[in-house]
Amino acid sequence: MAKVLIETSARHAHVSQEDLQALFGETELTVKKMLSQPGEFASAQRVTVIGPKKELENVLILGPCRKATQVEISATDARSIGVETALRESGDLEGTPGCVLRGPKGEVTLKEGVIVAKRHIHMNPDFAKANNLENKQIVSLKMEGNGRSALLGDVVCRVHPNFSEAAHIDTDEANAVFATPGGFGEIVS
């Protein structure tokens, strides 16, 4: 089967235009670094994520702005701040726990929007077709870490014309297999 780049998705937030204004008093995110997915970037703006037990400071905001604000953290992060975990695809926020976000100009209370992101593989339609894969198909990802190997199941294929091929796992998963930057995994259907 096909090989894809493995990227570790560390804790981050996506904010709406309205929440950006409330948190920073600004109308645009400042691009700090472009990411592997076309049009996506790490911004210069950072927030504090506040849960019932603890705060996570200096959490990166990814751009561009989205329709709804969401926070993506690892299961370890969720437990540490006292938030129930909700394993979801990005954007699937209904019924998820909330938190408070603090920026330099104010705070925003999210009634929902905190998720542990499902493992997923971004791919464009040509790559998907060439490998007999479909949008929302569930596959496994065989990884060879630095001294540890793993077969991660329940990986969602996300197909879109703007995507480039990359698998996203969170920091808990990456640490478990000693994933190395620039490493590759094999899709197993």
Side-chain angles (χ1 to χ4, degrees):
M1 249 344 232
K3 291 198 173 207
V4 292
L5 178 67
I6 305 290
E7 295 181 323
T8 302
S9 184
R11 68 176 71 125
H12 63 274
H14 300 275
V15 296
S16 67
Q17 192 75 45
E18 179 183 353
D19 289 347
L20 175 65
Q21 180 73 37
L23 293 164
F24 294 92
E26 300 171 4
T27 57
E28 291 185 28
L29 290 167
T30 304
V31 177
K32 184 173 182 179
K33 176 185 172 188
M34 296 307 293
L35 300 177
S36 66
Q37 294 307 309
E40 293 189 5
F41 59 89
S43 77
Q45 288 90 340
R46 307 270 177 147
V47 290
T48 298
V49 177
I50 304 167
K53 288 173 46 178
K54 184 180 162 186
E55 298 179 358
L56 296 173
E57 296 180 346
N58 207 29
V59 175
L60 178 68
I61 296 177
L62 300 185
C65 286
R66 290 201 178 175
K67 187 173 101 173
T69 296
Q70 72 180 45
V71 177
E72 295 184 33
I73 56 179
S74 69
T76 299
D77 286 336
R79 286 185 193 99
S80 77
I81 66 172
V83 173
E84 293 291 322
T85 56
L87 184 64
R88 299 287 182 90
E89 284 188 59
S90 182
D92 180 11
L93 307 179
E94 187 175 336
T96 60
C99 68
V100 174
L101 296 181
R102 182 186 309 130
K105 299 287 185 182
E107 291 185 351
V108 172
T109 300
L110 301 179
K111 292 183 180 172
E112 59 187 13
V114 179
I115 66 168
V116 175
K118 284 187 176 182
R119 306 170 186 134
H120 57 279
I121 304 169
H122 293 274
M123 61 187 75
N124 65 44
D126 292 338
F127 180 90
K129 185 176 180 181
N131 292 285
N132 297 314
L133 299 168
E134 297 178 8
N135 192 45
K136 302 291 185 183
Q137 182 177 344
I138 304 300
V139 297
S140 294
L141 185 63
K142 183 178 178 183
M143 296 179 55
E144 299 294 331
N146 188 8
R148 282 188 176 167
S149 63
L151 183 63
L152 300 178
D154 301 315
V155 183
V156 180
C157 293
R158 298 180 61 190
V159 181
H160 191 277
N162 294 340
F163 287 164
S164 60
E165 292 73 48
H168 287 175
I169 61 174
D170 70 24
T171 51
D172 286 348
E173 296 161 331
N175 289 338
V177 296
F178 290 93
T180 54
F184 284 82
E186 184 177 349
I187 299 172
V188 181
S189 60

